[in-house]
Amino acid sequence: MNETPRKRREDGHGPIAWITRWKVALAVAAALALIVGIGVFTLLPRDHEHFTSDGEPEIGDVPREIDHIAWEWDTPEDHSIVTVMPGLAGPVVVMERGVIGLDGTTGGELWGYLSDLDGSDVSASVTPDGRSAVIAEVREGENRVSLLDSGTGEIQERYEYPLDSEPPSLLNLSDHDWIEARDGGIVARDLHSGDIAWEHLPERGCEIQALRGSNTFGDTADYSVATSGEHYVMAELCEEHREEGEPDAPRSPGNLVVLDAWNGEVSWTVEDDLLLERETRSEIDVPYSAGINVSRDESALLAETTSGSTLFVPATGEVLHDDLRSLQRDEGPGRIIDFDDENVVVSEKTPGSTGLPEFTNTRTGDGEILRRTSTEDPLSGDPFEYHRIRPAGSASYSLPLDGGVVTPGCVDKCAERNIDETVLFLPWEGKTPPRAIGSEKVEAIVQSGRGVFVETPGSVVLYRPGSEGHLIGLA
């Protein structure tokens, strides 16, 4: 169902656009009537629709476990989903030409900012703390950034953006600024003004890898630059690294560089130990990339180093664990699907098994297994690894909750065809049987192989990036 409590509407297609000068007084009267009748009115550019919620929305609890479909929601016509991020009151749906904030408990539309102008280029994101949605609009003769409250849609700041080349990739966003590539380094722009806040240029002979200004900012677009509310984490390649191996080698050592998001100062580095990889079959010079992930609570940073999957404290660089792979079973490699400063959750499949993997929650300090799921055939599934680069992009193919793990899978005969058809909730320790939650739309999403889950206030959202979209709220 779609609930649309659009309380306050701001639309550039109003009567003011066609009133001639000799009717100015009439136009002013009409505007005053709107202010009195429906609240604060802000004139937006033509071909835009902006609506906000009426008052502060109620904020639901993050589910501990899943047993039913709470709501369903479809994108507006001709709008496709780029990504979904957790806001203050529920999911914030980022589309190719706009953003809509939903109530996580009901799926109702709380606010929206949509563009219907052909040729407009809209990129958007949510700050890691979930408080603000940032929208950049790029069109001929007008480049604008709007900062909105992610719970109500109210505009906090709006300013013209000094566009030099491509629109900003708001994927690379902290709670204070966003960063752009420049001359092998980065420039940070203040969220509230668009002014340059600071610059970081690596030492001569070094450059930041895989920091692109592309508007394609889905969660997997660029996982060599990780962000949290207070830090930027990036990969640096220097000339001496190239000299150690072949110039066009598929792998290279690199530096892990962590910057303070407030001022751009280097907080800490790890030299010559970051593992960089790149695709060598391309005809163009492709930058190296690195596996860098930030935990959902921002307490830990996971980086692929020459030592293994190393866990750090983001603020200080303290090593919490040298190689998390040592905590996995010997039978085969597992997938790290979640972690924080004390725990890691791994998906591991017994070799030759056609059933679901076992999910294990292990304490990183001493390797003690704290809890695990257990299932028996005919439940099956094969979750993908998913690179999470920041808390605001916390989508996952399998999502651990307090009470268990949500994952795509199948029941009975679909196991023989190795096709996911439903969503499964697997309780920790197997105290209650696994729950299958399915519908035709759930099946359509999980069968695509790209359905992902996002934990938000009020529900866990299932969606498929890049689709003309359908969202399902699970609770």
Side-chain angles (χ1 to χ4, degrees):
M1 63 179 175
N2 284 358
E3 299 181 17
T4 55
R6 303 185 178 185
K7 300 300 183 183
R8 278 184 274 177
R9 179 176 299 274
E10 301 165 352
D11 195 334
H13 289 290
I16 297 176
W18 50 264
I19 292 178
T20 55
R21 291 184 178 180
W22 61 272
K23 293 183 178 178
V24 168
L26 187 59
V28 172
L32 289 173
L34 283 171
I35 292 172
V36 173
I38 62 173
V40 178
F41 179 87
T42 302
L43 184 62
L44 292 182
R46 294 187 62 184
D47 303 300
H48 283 71
E49 181 186 33
H50 177 218
F51 61 91
T52 63
S53 64
D54 187 9
E56 293 294 330
E58 294 185 9
I59 300 176
D61 295 329
V62 174
R64 295 189 68 260
E65 55 187 43
I66 297 299
D67 62 12
H68 68 284
I69 295 174
W71 52 263
E72 298 183 357
W73 179 86
D74 291 303
T75 59
E77 187 176 358
D78 298 327
H79 286 266
S80 59
I81 299 173
V82 174
T83 189
V84 176
M85 299 180 179
L88 286 177
V92 175
V93 186
V94 177
M95 299 170 289
E96 290 180 339
R97 297 199 313 279
V99 183
I100 290 181
L102 303 180
D103 184 314
T105 303
T106 66
E109 294 179 1
L110 295 174
W111 60 270
Y113 189 104
L114 303 174
S115 172
D116 295 323
L117 183 66
D118 291 338
S120 64
D121 198 349
V122 177
S123 63
S125 191
V126 177
T127 52
D129 62 10
R131 294 182 177 278
S132 299
V134 189
I135 304 171
E137 306 165 79
V138 178
R139 65 175 71 181
E140 185 177 354
E142 183 180 30
N143 309 303
R144 176 169 298 189
V145 171
S146 300
L147 192 66
L148 281 65
D149 183 296
S150 76
T152 65
E154 295 281 358
I155 294 177
Q156 299 169 330
E157 303 283 353
R158 170 174 284 157
Y159 48 87
E160 294 301 310
Y161 172 71
L163 183 66
D164 296 326
S165 56
E166 295 180 331
S169 173
L170 295 178
L171 177 69
N172 302 312
L173 182 74
S174 75
D175 290 339
H176 317 294
D177 42 38
W178 81 80
I179 56 176
E180 304 170 353
R182 178 175 293 184
D183 299 327
I186 61 174
V187 170
R189 292 192 179 275
D190 186 279
L191 275 183
H192 296 275
S193 66
D195 297 333
I196 293 178
W198 50 265
E199 300 182 48
H200 172 76
L201 290 177
E203 294 182 3
R204 187 172 181 179
C206 301
E207 61 180 7
I208 302 299
Q209 291 294 290
L211 175 60
R212 299 185 293 271
S214 170
N215 190 33
T216 305
F217 57 97
D219 284 338
T220 58
D222 181 358
Y223 49 84
S224 293
V225 178
T227 75
S228 68
E230 303 299 329
H231 296 92
Y232 290 107
V233 187
M234 55 199 65
E236 183 181 72
L237 181 71
C238 301
E239 290 179 358
E240 58 263 30
H241 298 141
R242 293 183 182 273
E243 293 171 358
E244 292 177 10
E246 299 177 8
D248 299 322
R251 290 190 171 194
S252 173
N255 299 333
L256 179 66
V257 180
V258 180
L259 304 181
D260 187 306
W262 275 102
N263 52 34
E265 294 181 0
V266 176
S267 296
W268 54 275
T269 62
V270 175
E271 295 185 355
D272 308 326
D273 194 36
L274 186 65
L275 181 61
L276 301 178
E277 297 182 284
R278 70 173 176 177
E279 174 59 61
T280 58
R281 292 175 294 179
S282 174
E283 295 181 357
I284 61 175
D285 185 20
V286 178
Y288 284 95
S289 62
I292 304 174
N293 295 261
V294 177
S295 65
R296 286 188 282 169
D297 64 359
E298 303 187 37
S299 67
L301 163 68
L302 181 63
E304 293 301 318
T305 68
T306 56
S307 304
S309 299
T310 306
L311 197 65
F312 299 92
V313 176
T316 65
E318 176 190 354
V319 175
L320 296 171
H321 203 284
D322 287 326
D323 185 9
L324 293 182
R325 293 177 300 183
S326 65
L327 302 178
Q328 301 172 18
R329 294 187 308 205
D330 295 332
E331 290 91 336
R335 299 184 176 99
I336 296 173
I337 66 167
D338 200 32
F339 64 94
D340 57 28
D341 58 344
E342 296 181 347
N343 303 275
V344 60
V345 179
V346 176
S347 161
E348 295 183 282
K349 233 180 181 182
T350 303
S353 170
T354 59
L356 275 169
E358 180 180 70
F359 296 94
T360 305
N361 183 184
T362 303
R363 187 163 54 207
T364 55
D366 56 11
E368 180 182 353
I369 295 176
L370 302 177
R371 52 188 183 176
R372 58 169 26 120
T373 64
S374 60
T375 61
E376 298 179 359
D377 290 339
L379 298 176
S380 75
D382 187 18
F384 296 88
E385 183 176 10
Y386 192 87
H387 289 277
R388 178 188 302 111
I389 61 167
R390 65 207 181 102
S394 57
S396 179
Y397 288 116
S398 296
L399 182 66
L401 303 174
D402 287 346
V405 179
V406 184
T407 185
C410 66
V411 182
D412 299 326
K413 295 182 179 180
C414 68
E416 301 173 2
R417 305 195 305 272
N418 196 28
I419 297 175
D420 294 332
E421 289 186 348
T422 189
V423 168
L424 296 171
F425 178 74
L426 310 177
W428 293 116
E429 306 302 336
K431 294 179 180 178
T432 57
R435 302 167 192 161
I437 305 163
S439 70
E440 290 185 4
K441 291 182 177 179
V442 167
E443 182 176 340
I445 292 175
V446 299
Q447 279 190 355
S448 69
R450 296 182 60 204
V452 293
F453 302 97
V454 178
E455 183 183 81
T456 75
S459 60
V460 169
V461 176
L462 171 66
Y463 78 101
R464 181 167 66 89
S467 67
E468 282 190 9
H470 189 73
L471 265 66
I472 295 175
L474 304 170

